Amino acid sequence: MKTILKIDNLTKVFGGLEAVKDVNIQVQEREIHALIGPNGAGKTTTLSMINGTLTPTTGKIVFRGKDITGCPPHRAAAEGLGRTFQNIKQFGSLTVLENLMVGGMYHHNKGGVLHMLLHRKETRELERQVREKAEEIACKIGVRNLCGEYAGNLPYGRQKVLELGRAMMGDPRLILLDEPAAGLNPSERAEFVEILNKIYEEGIDLFLIEHNMDVVMNISHKITVLNFGRKIAEGTPRKVANNAAVIKAYLGDRYGKNDQGGEPNAGG
Ligand SMILES: Nc1ncnc2c1ncn2[C@@H]1O[C@H](COP(=O)(O)OP(=O)(O)OP(=O)(O)O)[C@@H](O)[C@H]1O
Ligand SMILES: [Mg+2]
C-alpha cells in the first residue's frame, strides 16, 4: 500500500494551549480514513494544518511525496488536496452551478484576474470548460436539476452536498471533509454516504472528521482518535470501537450496545 498523506509529529500551539500535540497519521491510497474525538480534541485544527489554512507550530506534512508543510491552501489544492469546511462557506446569492464554477475558475486560472481580462478569448474557453465540468459534477452529486437555484435557497442537506461538489472541482486526489454529515437528517445522511462511496469508487481518497458513529463505522477503513490534541488510538472501526481508552474518552458505553448509534459525547 502506498501512503498518500503522511503527517509527522504535528503540533499546533495557540497561546498556551497545545491544540494538537505530536500527532502522526498516515493515510494510504485507496483508503477512507476517519478522524474522531470529543469536541475541542484538535480535529479541525489538524485538518486546517494539512490544507494550509493554519501553519503548524512544528511537524511535517508530506502529500504525494511532496513536503507541503506551511504551503498556502491554493498550493495544497494545486497538489490535489480538496477540503470542505465545518461551517458552510458557499455563496448564497450565486446559483448552484455558479458556486461550482467559482471553485473551478479559481483552480484552473493560472494567470490571475488581470490575465483573464486581457485574454478574453482564452477566458471564454476556460469558462466553457469549467462550466462543462461543473455540470458533470452536479450530476455526480445529484443536484443537476438544481443548477439554476440560488445556493442559499437549498435545503441544508443539499448545501452540504454542494460543498463537496466545490471541493471536487479542483480535481483532488484526496478530499478532507470536516463533519460532512453534521445536521443532516437520517435520509439526507444515507444519501450523503452514498455520494461519498461513489466519489471514492471513482478514485478519490477521503479523510473525514465525523461525529456520527453510524457514518464513521460504516464508511471508514481506518480510524484515528484524538483526545486533548493527542492521538489515543488508531485502527479498524472494530478495533477502535472496542478500545478502552476510546470508550472512556469519547464513545462511552453507548456505541455498539445501543442500536441508535448516533453521536457520542458531542454537541457540535
Ligand atoms: N484559532 C484559534 N485560536 C485559539 N484557540 C483555538 C483556535 N482554533 C481552535 N482553538 C482551540 O483548539 C482546540 C482544538 O480545537 P478544534 O477546533 O481543532 O477542535 P475539534 O476537535 O475540531 O472540535 P469540534 O468537534 O468541536 O469541532 C480547542 O480547545 C479550541 O478552542
Ligand atoms: Mg471541529
Side-chain angles (χ1 to χ4, degrees), residues 14 17 19 38-45 86 179 211:
F14 292 116
L17 174 80
N39 292 131
K43 304 180 298 296
T44 297
T45 303
Q86 192 164 357
E179 301 196 25
H211 279 300

Side-chain angles (χ1 to χ4, degrees), residues 132-194:
E132 217 165 74
K133 179 157 186 88
E135 283 167 355
E136 182 192 313
I137 285 175
C139 283
K140 276 185 196 163
I141 59 174
V143 298
R144 184 68 187 89
N145 58 340
L146 297 170
C147 275
E149 290 286 333
Y150 290 117
N153 291 343
L154 297 187
Y156 186 75
R158 292 290 168 178
Q159 296 194 18
K160 296 289 274 190
V161 168
L162 180 56
E163 174 86 10
L164 176 60
R166 276 162 53 96
M168 288 171 69
M169 285 297 292
D171 291 325
R173 292 291 299 270
L174 175 71
I175 301 182
L176 313 173
L177 301 118
D178 199 345
E179 301 196 25
L184 302 186
N185 66 38
S187 73
E188 288 172 331
R189 205 182 300 136
E191 194 184 344
F192 203 98
V193 166
E194 212 172 283

